[in-house]
Amino acid sequence: MQEKEIRQKRLQDLMMLYGVTVGRRFTKKEKENFVIALSQQVSELGYTWRIQKQQGQPGAGNLIAGDPGTADMVYVTSYDTPAAALRPGITYYPFHRDKNLQAEKRQLMMRIGLCAVYCAALFLWGRIVLDYAGGLRTLGIVGLLGTAYAAWRLLHRQGSRFNFTRNSASIAWMLQAASLQTGKKRPALVFLDQSGFGGWETFRREYPQTEGQIVFLDCIADGEKLVAAHREPVGEKAKKLLDKLKDSPLKEQLIDKTYDEQRMKQNALAYDPNMVCLSAGRIEKGEFVVKHTASEKDIRVDLERLLVLAETLS
């Protein structure tokens, strides 16, 4: 088997593990199962790892492999997954936090509206069932229970089972990239809990500054374009990384995006002055978006691009 085929098979196996086997990381138990699987993988790569967690913080905490304080390169992604969305899924904005909050609010209002419809149906159906007798009443009661269960499911959110984009592909990619690098060039790996931003706060309390280049991977599974977002002016290490991408086979789909001091407050760039954030998606109405997240449509992954990206940054 050729080297390329070996690497592709490894990446496929990683996607099966983190996209399917431990692909849902919504509840504390699911996150703990993920941490067990991930800790075994990073140990096999020769890393020492630990859990970083603030006292009283919910969830399983950040998992840190290697030393972000001394590594030349630090790869970061969020590992917890969103709640299952009502169709057609959530349009995610990697660089616009307010729009993501609006999308979550719309999902909440849809759930409340549907729950109100179910409750009205329960009330009306319940009154009708009282007039039935025998088998019809039994069927009516079964229908009532089914409607009540549907209403309960709406109010008690379940984690999405489909999370290739957010962020199973990023996790698999980080492990793939780490396997290509050894010695002093080996990157530190940081897997954030609490939807990234809460995880960032925890990470930065311990590491207010890092010497190495931070690359934040947010939604890299699939999409027409690959955005490399950063501040201006760009640091020397970030410039070298961007030059690698511009000279790679990915250059035709690459968007080099600069954010000023005010706009970067809407995304992860606020947490590091020299960070480069990589995301894959498409341009829609002037915004860079990732479609159909947290839904059954989030099952696409561009393995070839992930392989090229890992080799480019190695």
Side-chain angles (χ1 to χ4, degrees):
M1 187 179 292
Q2 295 182 352
E3 183 65 24
K4 182 177 180 180
E5 293 175 333
I6 293 173
R7 292 179 178 180
Q8 185 171 17
K9 178 64 166 59
R10 172 174 169 75
L11 184 55
Q12 288 174 337
D13 291 343
L14 289 169
M15 280 303 305
M16 178 60 67
L17 176 59
Y18 296 107
V20 180
T21 307
V22 288
R24 181 161 60 185
R25 304 173 290 274
F26 186 70
T27 66
K28 184 178 180 181
K29 182 63 176 176
E30 289 165 348
K31 293 178 182 182
E32 289 172 347
N33 290 337
F34 162 78
V35 166
I36 291 171
L38 180 61
S39 62
Q40 292 174 347
Q41 293 263 311
V42 296
S43 295
E44 290 172 3
L45 289 173
Y47 282 97
T48 57
W49 62 275
R50 63 189 178 88
I51 296 296
Q52 180 193 48
K53 189 174 181 181
Q54 296 294 318
Q55 186 174 4
Q57 177 185 346
N62 301 338
L63 189 148
I64 297 177
D67 185 359
T70 60
D72 288 336
M73 183 77 74
V74 183
Y75 293 139
V76 185
T77 195
S78 305
Y79 73 78
D80 58 327
T81 54
L86 300 175
R87 292 184 180 182
I90 295 176
T91 295
Y92 179 71
Y93 299 82
F95 306 108
H96 207 307
R97 189 188 309 186
D98 284 351
K99 288 185 178 292
N100 290 328
L101 292 175
Q102 292 171 11
E104 292 287 347
K105 288 179 181 178
R106 285 194 294 271
Q107 285 285 317
L108 177 60
M109 295 307 297
M110 289 171 64
R111 289 178 182 277
I112 292 174
L114 283 172
C115 189
V117 170
Y118 281 133
C119 289
L122 277 171
F123 175 75
L124 295 173
W125 187 242
R127 296 188 64 178
I128 294 171
V129 165
L130 291 176
D131 295 331
Y132 289 164
L136 286 177
R137 173 173 283 193
T138 301
L139 289 174
I141 291 173
V142 170
L144 281 172
L145 292 174
T147 305
Y149 176 71
W152 179 85
R153 285 288 300 268
L154 279 171
L155 292 178
H156 294 76
R157 299 188 305 167
Q158 306 292 311
S160 172
R161 295 186 294 115
F162 307 97
N163 303 295
F164 277 25
T165 298
R166 295 175 61 189
N167 259 306
S168 296
S170 299
I171 295 165
W173 183 89
M174 285 169 60
L175 294 170
Q176 178 81 4
S179 71
L180 302 179
Q181 298 172 319
T182 58
K184 293 183 179 179
K185 290 186 177 181
R186 170 160 286 187
L189 309 177
V190 180
F191 303 88
L192 302 175
D193 193 6
Q194 299 300 305
S195 298
F197 293 105
W200 270 117
E201 296 288 350
T202 301
F203 176 72
R204 276 311 188 195
R205 286 191 187 99
E206 183 175 349
Y207 297 97
Q209 290 184 328
T210 51
E211 294 297 324
Q213 174 63 52
I214 290 184
V215 179
F216 182 54
L217 300 128
D218 189 20
C219 302
I220 62 169
D222 187 58
E224 299 168 5
K225 298 294 183 180
L226 178 68
V227 168
H230 54 87
R231 290 186 180 189
E232 187 67 39
V234 66
E236 182 180 346
K237 292 181 179 179
K239 185 177 185 304
K240 288 181 179 179
L241 185 147
L242 292 169
D243 287 343
K244 281 185 176 182
L245 291 171
K246 292 174 183 178
D247 291 336
S248 76
L250 303 174
K251 60 185 178 182
E252 296 299 326
Q253 53 189 281
L254 182 68
I255 299 175
D256 184 352
K257 179 66 175 177
T258 301
Y259 280 86
D260 59 31
E261 198 76 20
Q262 184 62 33
R263 293 185 64 203
M264 73 184 186
K265 294 178 181 179
Q266 287 287 331
N267 54 61
L269 293 173
Y271 290 101
D272 186 88
N274 297 310
M275 181 192 300
V276 173
C277 181
L278 297 178
S279 295
R282 68 187 190 190
I283 306 297
E284 190 175 89
K285 298 180 181 179
E287 288 277 0
F288 183 74
V289 301
V290 182
K291 302 290 286 186
H292 307 306
T293 68
S295 75
E296 65 273 12
K297 293 184 178 181
D298 188 9
I299 55 173
R300 294 173 59 88
V301 59
D302 189 339
L303 289 174
E304 183 61 31
R305 179 165 62 193
L306 294 182
L307 288 168
V308 172
L309 182 61
E311 292 167 3
T312 298
L313 298 188
S314 299

